[in-house]
Amino acid sequence: MFKKTVESKSQQRLSGADRKKLKRTIKERFPNASDTDLDTLIPPKVEVTVSKHPNRVLIYSLEGGLPIFFDVDGRGTTIFPTVYALWKVPHLVPAFILKGGEVSRYVIGGADLMFPGISIGAEGLPEFSAGETWAVMVPGNPAPIAVGSTCMSSSEALKAGLRGKALKISHHYRDALWESAEDRYVPNVGFLEDVVFGDPSLFSDSQQSDTDATSDHENNADGGQDASYPDSSSNMQSDPSADQQLTTDFGDLKVTENDQSDKVTSDDQTTLSVEDVDALLDKCLLQACYTTLKDKDLPIAGSTLWSNHVLPCRPPGIVLDIKKSSHKKLSKWLQSKSSEGLISSKEDKHKKEVMVLAVNRKHPDYISFKPEKQQVEKVEQTVDTSTESDNNRMMDLIEIYKPSVHVNPIFNSVGADTHQLYTASEASEVVYAYIEKENLVKPTNKAIVVLDAILCDALFKGAIKKGSTYPSEIHKKDLAPTFINRMQAHHQVTRGKESVVRKGALKAMQIMTERRQGNKKVTKLTGMESFLIDAEPLASELQKKFACSTSVTELPGKKGHEVLVQGGVIDVLARYLVEQYGIPKKYIEVLDKTARK
């Protein structure tokens, strides 16, 4: 992304409000960042500037010109830390470890990270989804060398045999963004001009301690590693044979550990009967409900509940396989828990999977369960995940509302937060709580609510024509819609792990077919960004799907992009977006200018 010199169109100092907004965005985008980390990245008394670039990229820099974050599309949804930020807070994002320092030459040279270049530990490939932000590190060096977005999920990578592209690199050490810093620097002497090795100072300390406690064979291996990490004053050439020897030694250790782990889990699994697996499933679900699954995470897809919450709660050394239970399938198990009243769920016809809507924390099984203190363990998902990539492509749309000046007195009266966003049902609960608190239900007719001054103003002030009489009563069936209509409408779009909240109603995506150069037809698609769909990957996908040429152009005024598809594919394209991306039909506006009148 930063192969050429970084030249900005404009630069300005970040205001206090924008500074706070940037911190909130970083906190939401990178949950691992603590308040201390935020102060480290953006010190309270240090000036922050933002520069705008022709390709819509925003670069946030500290006083002195040190770039700390960059926003790819200028919207805050694709913000990345620079290597300077990662050198300050290395744990800000997870990182892939390269197989050796020599591999870093390709990354620094501008290549994307491939799976064969990643070192896989004894615990296996870490779990991740497509589109997540990950860094790249060299063995023995705590400072990351690059940052980018994952190109596929971990399950897809395993199915592909750990082949193909793992990380699309957005920024790396020694690119134009790194060089744009006025006082650019490197974190340690392991960073050379065209390659990065382990930090010799850290290795020297560990080598000294290992000498006192290890065998002669281990000392020899340490010596080989010493040779593969030259100091900054030496030549930039390394000893490939020593680097290869080190990788081989560690590889042997990993194979041994894997063999032992497989043996243990295999033995443990064979001792579990169908009844034991059923009981273990229920126990893991209850453990997850107590420890990791919060109400704010709901609703949640069944596959996500399984991989992110249930599996990590299983006992160490146990392989939890839903196929070994009496339910055989995840959907049937969740439906059985729903029929028992522990959870409430429904089947999503678009995603073709069960969605968990709520957890009944008053259920006898939940109340009587005593959660265990255990070390959370990341494991590979054993449920059939053939549809996981499709689920990450599907969209969830939630209409939400923010309290306005009209209804704020109602929220304040019941102690509800006026700065929070509410669903329609949650907002209805607020107004009904106020009615119950003030005892406004009409005694002679329970379906009628008597309006006091506060509730009457909340519902009708400014909406009744001058000279008209304000109503004194309202029917319960009209109360909630009227109350919600007085709030500020927002919408939340979620696709995979990416989510965005925007003010107002969601604008429809437009598909238009028109004639060009005689009888030739072209189809134009706009508005896909509102649904968290990137134009470039979509154009590439449509090119393969329809076997035709496609192109992407940027619309004027930062109004997104336009995807141009050769041919009149308006109907099949609309159907494809509904089926593959979960776009509701009402949000697809079709316009055929080639139809004969």
Side-chain angles (χ1 to χ4, degrees):
M1 176 174 290
F2 298 102
K3 295 181 180 180
K4 298 181 180 180
T5 304
V6 178
E7 296 181 356
S8 63
K9 292 195 300 183
S10 63
Q11 181 173 325
Q12 63 183 20
R13 176 180 169 274
L14 214 60
S15 65
D18 289 338
R19 187 189 187 101
K20 291 179 181 178
K21 182 180 178 181
L22 176 61
K23 280 194 171 185
R24 287 196 302 270
T25 301
I26 295 170
K27 185 68 175 177
E28 293 170 359
R29 180 77 171 165
F30 309 110
N32 291 338
S34 64
D35 292 339
T36 304
D37 295 335
L38 291 177
D39 289 339
T40 301
L41 295 170
I42 306 177
K45 296 183 180 181
V46 175
E47 185 178 289
V48 180
T49 59
V50 56
S51 55
K52 298 181 180 180
H53 296 259
N55 57 356
R56 301 175 62 188
V57 174
L58 300 180
I59 298 178
Y60 297 92
S61 304
L62 299 181
E63 186 176 352
L66 187 70
I68 201 77
F69 287 97
F70 63 96
D71 190 345
V72 174
D73 60 3
R75 298 177 181 176
T77 56
T78 51
I79 192 169
F80 291 90
T82 65
V83 289
Y84 292 110
L86 294 176
W87 294 345
K88 293 174 178 288
V89 184
H91 62 268
L92 188 63
V93 296
F96 291 114
I97 309 298
L98 300 180
K99 284 187 175 179
E102 285 295 328
V103 183
S104 66
R105 293 185 187 274
Y106 301 101
V107 177
I108 296 174
D112 290 328
L113 179 62
M114 310 298 285
F115 277 107
I118 298 175
S119 175
I120 309 298
E123 67 279 3
L125 186 70
E127 187 175 331
F128 54 87
S129 301
E132 288 186 3
T133 302
W134 280 63
V136 181
M137 298 177 70
V138 169
N141 200 316
I145 66 170
V147 65
S149 300
T150 52
C151 298
M152 64 178 75
S153 66
S154 52
S155 59
E156 291 173 323
L158 292 171
K159 289 179 182 178
L162 295 180
R163 296 288 177 185
K165 189 181 296 185
L167 196 71
K168 181 176 178 59
I169 302 297
S170 300
H171 159 58
H172 58 82
Y173 161 63
R174 293 203 66 84
D175 68 0
L177 179 58
W178 176 84
E179 291 183 346
S180 67
E182 295 179 8
D183 297 325
R184 55 180 178 266
Y185 68 94
V186 294
N188 55 63
V189 295
F191 280 70
L192 305 179
E193 185 175 351
D194 61 347
V195 69
V196 178
F197 292 107
D199 184 2
S201 61
L202 294 178
F203 179 73
S204 298
D205 295 339
S206 61
Q207 183 184 20
Q208 183 62 37
S209 59
D210 289 345
T211 303
D212 299 333
T214 57
S215 63
D216 291 339
H217 171 73
E218 289 172 330
N219 285 333
N220 290 335
D222 287 341
Q225 187 175 6
D226 232 353
S228 66
Y229 295 136
D231 354 85
S232 56
S233 58
S234 65
N235 295 336
M236 287 185 248
Q237 302 294 328
S238 64
D239 185 353
S241 62
D243 189 46
Q244 182 179 3
Q245 178 63 40
L246 175 66
T247 306
T248 304
D249 292 342
F250 279 122
D252 294 340
L253 292 175
K254 292 173 186 175
V255 169
T256 304
E257 290 177 4
N258 278 335
D259 291 343
Q260 293 173 351
S261 175
D262 292 343
K263 182 178 180 180
V264 172
T265 54
S266 176
D267 293 340
D268 288 344
Q269 183 64 17
T270 56
T271 62
L272 294 179
S273 62
V274 174
E275 292 78 11
D276 292 335
V277 176
D278 287 345
L280 185 57
L281 283 172
D282 296 345
K283 180 180 178 181
C284 291
L285 176 60
L286 290 168
Q287 179 77 14
C289 291
Y290 264 97
T291 56
T292 63
L293 184 63
K294 308 300 180 184
D295 289 337
K296 65 180 181 179
D297 299 327
L298 302 170
I300 188 173
S303 58
T304 305
L305 171 69
W306 174 265
S307 59
N308 292 354
H309 299 281
V310 176
L311 279 181
C313 290
R314 66 132 178 76
I318 297 297
V319 176
L320 187 59
D321 190 349
I322 195 76
K323 295 178 182 177
K324 301 284 182 70
S325 70
S326 61
H327 308 283
K328 303 299 181 183
K329 293 184 178 180
L330 178 63
S331 58
K332 291 185 177 180
W333 175 56
L334 293 177
Q335 289 169 354
S336 70
K337 296 294 101 181
S338 180
S339 63
E340 293 174 9
L342 177 60
I343 61 174
S344 61
S345 63
K346 72 172 182 179
E347 184 176 0
D348 192 315
K349 295 181 180 179
H350 292 292
K351 294 185 177 182
K352 296 182 180 180
E353 71 169 327
V354 175
M355 299 291 295
V356 178
L357 306 178
V359 176
N360 182 8
R361 302 191 186 274
K362 296 182 180 179
H363 193 274
D365 291 348
Y366 183 88
I367 296 174
S368 61
F369 181 76
K370 294 182 179 180
E372 298 178 355
K373 293 182 179 180
Q374 62 180 26
Q375 184 177 0
V376 177
E377 181 178 354
K378 284 191 174 182
V379 296
E380 294 180 6
Q381 187 174 351
T382 55
V383 171
D384 184 10
T385 57
S386 59
T387 61
E388 181 179 346
S389 60
D390 294 334
N391 292 338
N392 288 332
R393 291 160 60 101
M394 302 304 285
M395 182 191 76
D396 286 331
L397 173 63
I398 303 175
E399 294 179 347
I400 48 182
Y401 305 87
K402 185 177 181 181
S404 63
V405 292
H406 302 294
V407 300
N408 278 345
I410 302 296
F411 281 81
N412 291 330
S413 179
V414 298
D417 188 359
T418 57
H419 299 287
Q420 184 179 335
L421 292 168
Y422 297 84
T423 62
S425 60
E426 292 170 342
S428 301
E429 291 176 1
V430 171
V431 69
Y432 281 116
Y434 177 81
I435 292 170
E436 183 178 355
K437 176 186 176 185
E438 300 297 331
N439 195 20
L440 298 180
V441 177
K442 192 172 184 177
T444 56
N445 188 350
K446 301 295 185 181
I448 301 298
V449 175
V450 179
L451 300 179
D452 62 4
I454 296 178
L455 184 56
C456 185
D457 285 346
L459 298 178
F460 300 109
K461 186 176 181 180
I464 300 294
K465 292 182 179 180
K466 190 174 182 180
S468 301
T469 305
Y470 279 79
S472 59
E473 298 177 346
I474 188 172
H475 198 282
K476 280 188 176 179
K477 65 181 179 63
D478 300 323
L479 176 64
T482 306
F483 184 76
I484 293 171
N485 192 45
R486 300 282 282 178
M487 300 176 68
Q488 298 174 358
H490 290 65
H491 64 273
Q492 180 181 17
V493 180
T494 303
R495 189 178 301 281
K497 290 191 175 182
E498 186 177 1
S499 182
V500 63
V501 176
R502 299 188 182 99
K503 188 176 180 180
L506 181 61
K507 295 182 180 179
M509 186 185 302
Q510 187 180 74
I511 306 176
M512 181 172 64
T513 297
E514 61 184 23
R515 295 184 186 275
R516 288 187 180 178
Q517 296 179 355
N519 199 33
K520 292 184 178 179
K521 296 181 181 180
V522 294
T523 302
K524 296 191 293 185
L525 174 64
T526 57
M528 72 289 296
E529 288 89 356
S530 298
F531 300 85
L532 301 182
I533 301 176
D534 292 333
E536 292 285 353
L538 177 61
S540 177
E541 184 178 334
L542 296 179
Q543 181 182 12
K544 299 176 183 177
K545 173 67 179 178
F546 302 128
C548 62
S549 62
T550 60
S551 61
V552 178
T553 56
E554 186 174 352
L555 297 174
K558 294 186 177 180
K559 293 183 179 180
H561 295 79
E562 177 185 82
V563 176
L564 190 69
V565 183
Q566 293 294 331
V569 294
I570 185 170
D571 293 328
V572 67
L573 176 56
R575 185 165 59 251
Y576 184 78
L577 292 171
V578 172
E579 295 175 354
Q580 298 297 322
Y581 286 91
I583 309 296
K585 291 182 179 179
K586 67 177 182 178
Y587 290 110
I588 298 180
E589 180 182 344
V590 176
L591 181 61
D592 189 356
K593 287 189 174 183
T594 66
R596 299 188 181 275
K597 298 181 180 179

